[in-house]
Amino acid sequence: HGDSGTFVVGPESKIILDSSSSAQLQTTAQTFQADLHSETGLSLPIAVASNAGTNNFFLTLKTQDSGIGKEGYLFNVDSSVTINARTANGVFYGTRTVLQILHEASDHASIPRGYARDYPLYKERGLMLDVGRKFVLLSLLENYVRMMAWYKFNDFQLHFNDNALNAGNQPDWQHQYAAFRLNSPVFPGLAAPDGSYNEQQIRELEQVASAYGVTITPEIDTPAHALALTQYHPDLASPTYSKEFLDLNNPATYTFIDSLWKTFLPWFTAPQVNMGMDEYASQDADKYREYIAHYNTFLRAQGKTTRMWGSLSEMQSSVSVNPDIVIEDWDNTWANPVDMVSQGFQLINANDLELYIVPHADYFHDYLNTQLLYTSWDPSIFSLQNPALNLQPGDPHLLLSLIHI
């Protein structure tokens, strides 16, 4: 709702924290202070007061508006800019709106007066980055976090292991390219020599992500896409199928993967992790589903909830899978979204037809068709060609969508 006139930020402006919520908003204010300096060149002091005063930014947690949820905010611009939310994350997203408006303003200082009420339609908005097939420097991951926050994304899934397509089917599979990117002395020699992350680096990334309202969701992909693991432990490779597949009949497989998760889970604060679980041999659907059940139970015992790549429609079996696992639905054949919802699963729309970027692969996009997504797509749409595969907008089973690179 527009009003007349503008608010102009200047050297005399301050970032004011409401005295009743200053402790909860301190980190948000410091992040805003640093980003405001980057955008405008102004170094505004942070102060605590009970009201906004004049020509300031006032951050507060006083609203009782339950309709904006945990990430929404109220944005009021008059003689000062007041950002009012129910949580620090909501206030944080309001500061992103300030930065976006200032970025577009010709003087990088003016904000039109008025009022806005802003909140997300979906709980999570995400990006998945495949650091398994291509190593990405820690500094670049931190920049991804900042970029995601700018667009109000909040879930950064990191795919920590993978291998070249069909590498496990080659006679020299032990020498095909594969990488595992987490580096712990518990597993000497497992981390890829061309790049990995140690515990201290993950802690640093987590610290940046926390300041920017982003959750780092780790993924260790098994029992397929696991060539880096079978090269490390050749005795765990499937004797029947591709050597990138773990042997699900070997108890040592479970012992090793248990120890892998126990080692790396404490590095991450995310409440949910991705177990992988995509593209295993369909002939072994029973064992595959038993493997899913084992790691769903195992990871929940470690205090985490779970998500997995959608594969259950293709992997038919009488062995049931608990619908408390979130399905990252990347392919409508491997996991029919309507069928998954009918079974009680919650979904992440990760459909490869519209949301995958794989440069130089003729079966995926070199870049996203942003115009098509903007004009024709919604997170409830899993197929632009076949509406029968789509959910209703706002379906409570639909948690988020993920762009994949």
Side-chain angles (χ1 to χ4, degrees):
H1 301 276
D3 204 343
S4 58
T6 57
F7 162 90
V8 181
V9 60
E12 75 289 352
S13 300
K14 297 182 181 68
I15 299 170
I16 306 289
L17 303 185
D18 188 342
S19 54
S20 66
S21 51
S22 60
Q24 299 100 302
L25 296 173
Q26 192 64 230
T27 298
T28 298
Q30 291 169 350
T31 304
F32 181 40
Q33 181 187 50
D35 292 343
L36 198 59
H37 178 264
S38 297
E39 190 61 49
T40 67
L42 297 171
S43 298
L44 303 190
I46 297 172
V48 177
S50 59
N51 59 71
T54 302
N55 263 32
N56 301 318
F57 295 99
F58 186 58
L59 312 183
T60 181
L61 296 176
K62 280 188 173 171
T63 182
Q64 300 300 312
D65 186 344
S66 61
I68 61 174
K70 294 181 179 179
E71 293 181 306
Y73 58 93
L74 309 177
F75 192 81
N76 189 61
V77 185
D78 46 37
S79 60
S80 284
V81 176
T82 297
I83 302 172
N84 192 358
R86 299 175 64 213
T87 67
N89 271 3
V91 171
F92 174 79
Y93 287 124
T95 67
R96 301 305 93 182
T97 295
V98 168
L99 295 169
Q100 290 167 345
I101 294 172
L102 292 175
H103 183 77
E104 294 299 324
S106 58
D107 61 358
H108 298 292
S110 299
I111 300 177
R113 292 193 180 198
Y115 172 83
R117 181 174 179 266
D118 186 24
Y119 57 93
L121 291 178
Y122 293 95
K123 180 180 178 182
E124 300 178 55
R125 291 83 55 199
L127 170 68
M128 191 216 80
L129 188 63
D130 180 356
V131 298
R133 291 186 176 95
K134 54 189 181 301
F135 180 64
V136 177
L137 292 172
L138 180 70
S139 58
L140 185 54
L141 293 183
E142 292 173 354
N143 284 339
Y144 266 108
V145 167
R146 296 182 181 97
M147 179 186 69
M148 290 174 64
W150 178 268
Y151 293 105
K152 301 184 174 74
F153 278 37
N154 63 4
D155 188 289
F156 193 17
Q157 180 173 313
L158 294 176
H159 182 82
F160 282 118
N161 66 292
D162 218 314
N163 41 264
L165 186 66
N166 295 324
N169 293 324
Q170 307 303 316
D172 61 341
W173 63 273
Q174 288 181 290
H175 301 96
Q176 297 293 311
Y177 185 79
F180 187 87
R181 300 298 184 189
L182 297 175
N183 193 343
S184 168
V186 176
F187 302 100
L190 175 59
D194 63 340
S196 62
Y197 313 102
N198 61 32
E199 183 174 5
Q200 179 56 40
Q201 290 173 311
I202 294 297
R203 298 290 186 198
E204 180 183 327
L205 179 63
E206 286 269 356
Q207 187 173 14
V208 173
S210 176
Y212 281 85
V214 173
T215 297
I216 304 297
T217 300
E219 177 194 347
I220 297 176
D221 199 356
T222 67
H225 294 266
L227 188 62
L229 305 180
T230 58
Q231 287 175 344
Y232 187 70
H233 260 307
D235 55 311
L236 302 184
S238 170
T240 307
Y241 310 116
S242 168
K243 296 301 180 182
E244 71 163 310
F245 294 171
L246 291 169
D247 181 1
L248 302 187
N249 292 299
N250 186 347
T253 293
Y254 293 83
T255 302
F256 176 64
I257 302 303
D258 285 1
S259 65
L260 207 64
W261 277 115
K262 282 184 177 179
T263 298
F264 295 113
L265 273 182
W267 294 16
F268 298 92
T269 60
Q272 188 169 94
V273 299
N274 186 298
M275 304 183 290
M277 306 295 177
D278 57 321
E279 299 184 294
Y280 197 75
S282 58
Q283 305 95 308
D284 215 358
D286 287 355
K287 278 290 183 182
Y288 161 81
R289 284 173 169 250
E290 290 170 6
Y291 183 85
I292 292 173
H294 172 87
Y295 280 102
N296 184 38
T297 300
F298 174 84
L299 290 165
R300 286 177 178 276
Q302 311 302 313
K304 304 292 186 181
T305 59
T306 58
R307 67 175 67 161
M308 59 171 277
W309 294 102
S311 298
L312 297 178
S313 296
E314 189 74 11
M315 302 293 283
Q316 293 292 328
S317 165
S318 60
V319 178
S320 62
V321 172
N322 197 318
D324 61 5
I325 302 171
V326 174
I327 300 294
E328 203 161 318
D329 204 327
W330 65 282
D331 181 279
N332 296 325
T333 299
W334 281 94
N336 181 302
V338 175
D339 184 36
M340 292 298 100
V341 165
S342 72
Q343 294 182 41
F345 290 98
Q346 292 185 305
L347 301 187
I348 294 169
N349 188 343
N351 192 268
D352 60 348
L353 294 175
E354 309 301 340
L355 302 176
Y356 267 41
I357 300 173
V358 185
H360 308 299
D362 57 6
Y363 45 88
F364 289 125
H365 298 293
D366 284 340
Y367 51 88
L368 295 185
N369 187 338
T370 52
Q371 184 65 24
L372 178 70
L373 292 173
Y374 186 73
T375 59
S376 306
W377 182 83
D378 175 272
S380 64
I381 295 176
F382 288 77
S383 172
L384 288 167
Q385 294 74 37
N386 184 1
L389 293 169
N390 299 332
L391 305 181
Q392 291 298 314
D395 189 307
H397 293 88
L398 183 60
L399 297 181
L400 75 152
S401 60
L402 280 176
I403 297 169
H404 296 73
I405 303 176

